[in-house]
Amino acid sequence: MELCGGTHVTNTSEIRGFKIISEQGIASGIRRIEAVAGEAFIQYVHERDTHLRNLCSMLKVRAEDVATRVDNILDELRISRNEVLILRNKMAIMKASTVKDNAINVGTSNIRFIVESMDDIDSDSLKSAAEYLIDSLQDPAAVVLGSCPGEGKVSLVAAFSPGVIGMGLQAGKFIGSIAKICGGGGGGRPNFAQAGGKKPENLLDALQKARSDLITAFTDTK
């Protein structure tokens, strides 16, 4: 509405440059504008110019082409990340194919199940591995996989075929109780569920409980 011209300056020429650097709402109907002027404005412009020159040098482009170059780099990064994700999924499926023959037969209905540790596979790849295994096993079947994708992290996944669900078991409820051993929790659908934890040192115990619980449930099935 009005620029101060008496309290802080005797003449507007003393302001020299003026640059709004931020604005934000601080209360209902009230916004706060922050700006620099005078020597602070000169310093601000100098710092921004230095940053821009450094970017131009790093990206090897002119100032007006920086934004375009950054967009291209981000596109390349997204493509690379997708390629890495695809490769991780393929590696997870390859590893899953090596444990497929470890399926255990139990119960009068000849139910097959797999409970395995998949080392440091990330949660998305662990999901892909579980989907591959449950599709590979003949119904009724169950798959429970666990991994430690990072320091202080545990990933768990459970996949149950329609025949197993028909026996009263649900992947969501099952994996939630297993995850508690690893200091976490989770859940999902009756046929597929994921969970996490923060105690990797308990993963083998959690998988052993999953194995024991499945054997008990399937042995009791008539």
Side-chain angles (χ1 to χ4, degrees):
M1 298 293 292
E2 178 179 304
L3 182 64
C4 172
T7 305
H8 300 108
V9 295
T10 57
N11 190 290
T12 54
S13 64
E14 296 178 20
I15 296 174
R16 302 173 72 180
F18 181 87
K19 172 67 176 176
I20 295 175
I21 59 175
S22 71
E23 64 90 19
Q24 60 183 328
I26 59 174
S28 178
I30 300 176
R31 302 195 68 81
R32 177 180 180 178
I33 296 176
E34 294 184 355
V36 289
E39 289 300 323
F41 168 80
I42 301 299
Q43 181 65 25
Y44 179 88
V45 171
H46 175 72
E47 290 176 354
R48 292 301 180 276
D49 182 66
T50 299
H51 292 324
L52 182 57
R53 288 177 182 273
N54 288 338
L55 281 173
C56 290
S57 177
M58 293 170 59
L59 301 174
K60 295 180 173 56
V61 295
R62 297 173 299 177
E64 56 267 31
D65 297 327
V66 167
T68 300
R69 179 58 180 143
V70 170
D71 283 340
N72 291 338
I73 291 175
L74 291 176
D75 286 339
E76 293 171 1
L77 181 60
R78 281 190 287 268
I79 293 173
S80 297
R81 284 177 173 172
N82 287 336
E83 290 175 347
V84 169
L85 179 60
I86 292 172
L87 181 59
R88 283 179 176 174
N89 284 340
K90 288 183 177 179
M91 292 177 63
I93 291 175
M94 287 180 61
K95 183 172 179 61
S97 67
T98 65
V99 303
K100 183 172 61 174
D101 294 335
N102 295 343
I104 300 173
N105 294 335
V106 66
T108 57
S109 300
N110 199 30
I111 305 166
R112 305 185 73 195
F113 75 88
I114 294 175
V115 177
E116 290 285 343
S117 170
M118 302 291 282
D119 301 326
D120 59 352
I121 290 178
D122 63 273
S123 59
D124 288 336
S125 300
L126 195 68
K127 175 182 176 182
S128 297
E131 290 173 341
Y132 165 82
L133 288 172
I134 200 65
D135 289 340
S136 300
L137 299 177
Q138 185 177 356
D139 189 23
V143 174
V144 177
L145 303 177
S147 68
C148 300
E151 185 176 354
K153 292 182 179 180
V154 174
S155 290
L156 292 162
V157 62
F160 291 173
S161 71
V164 170
I165 297 173
M167 298 172 190
L169 293 179
Q170 295 188 10
K173 293 180 179 179
F174 185 87
I175 203 66
S177 63
I178 301 301
K180 290 180 180 179
I181 299 176
C182 295
R189 304 187 306 273
N191 67 315
F192 197 91
Q194 291 180 279
K198 53 188 177 181
K199 295 181 179 179
E201 65 273 14
N202 293 348
L203 176 59
L204 294 182
D205 290 338
L207 294 177
Q208 181 57 47
K209 175 173 173 52
R211 190 176 292 108
S212 299
D213 288 353
L214 287 176
I215 291 176
T216 299
F218 295 152
T219 300
D220 292 341
T221 301
K222 305 297 183 180

